[in-house]
Amino acid sequence: MSPPTSHSGSSGQGLEELLEELRRRNWVLHLFGGREAPEIYAAVHRWPTCADVIILRDEHRASAYRVPTFPGTDVFSPRVVTWQYHATPVWTLRAVLTLAEPGTPGAPLQALRPQPGCHVPAELRHDVTIRPTNITPEPDREGDDGGPPACA
């Protein structure tokens, strides 16, 4: 798969700006299927008891979901999710970046069966490159340690 292409859809930020926002928010990038020519791009943002995941399959298909995490949870093959969204990469990134933080009003809590787009095929998982971000969040107010809230 070649990297998702740039387009901004009908309004707002384009793909590059949304991917930059993921980096700014310390999402970890996973490249599945080989470092030189990955077949799937994914990103994960971990909260204390859940994770937000994005899977970019090509320039037309992407999925995002929130998965509760317990010891042994495979975030790329969830059994249950509390939220999921499937559309183009731009719209999927917009949706996940505006999702309410865990433990805040409006955060999803319902247990849902994940759609097939919420999985990375096992055959691609043997060759994965992980690229963590090197950005440390800055506290935004006195007494705030910059850490994420707990999932409800």
Side-chain angles (χ1 to χ4, degrees):
M1 174 183 143
S2 60
T5 58
S6 171
H7 67 285
S8 62
S10 61
S11 65
Q13 295 176 305
L15 186 59
E16 285 88 13
E17 294 89 356
L18 293 165
L19 292 170
E20 182 58 37
E21 183 63 19
L22 289 181
R23 286 187 283 278
R24 191 184 72 70
R25 294 186 189 188
N26 295 320
W27 287 63
V28 176
L29 179 63
H30 299 254
L31 308 173
F32 291 99
R35 184 178 198 180
E36 298 304 317
E39 293 184 44
I40 294 178
Y41 290 75
V44 177
H45 183 76
R46 293 192 181 267
W47 303 96
T49 59
C50 61
D52 292 337
V53 180
I54 298 168
I55 299 173
L56 303 173
R57 297 186 186 285
D58 59 38
E59 64 186 52
H60 305 289
R61 297 178 305 141
S63 297
Y65 53 93
R66 180 167 286 168
V67 55
T69 53
F70 303 98
T73 297
D74 181 350
V75 298
F76 296 115
S77 186
R79 292 183 174 192
V80 66
V81 296
T82 58
W83 174 85
Q84 59 189 320
Y85 187 89
H86 310 276
T88 64
V90 168
W91 285 107
T92 303
L93 286 163
R94 286 177 183 167
V96 76
L97 288 170
T98 58
L99 189 61
E101 290 185 10
T104 64
L109 297 173
Q110 182 178 5
L112 305 168
R113 177 177 294 156
Q115 296 295 312
C118 296
H119 298 273
V120 173
E123 62 270 14
L124 294 179
R125 306 241 229 129
H126 67 279
D127 194 3
V128 62
T129 302
I130 301 171
R131 294 186 177 166
T133 56
N134 295 322
I135 303 169
T136 303
E138 294 290 327
D140 58 357
R141 60 185 177 270
E142 194 169 319
D144 181 0
D145 65 358
C151 291

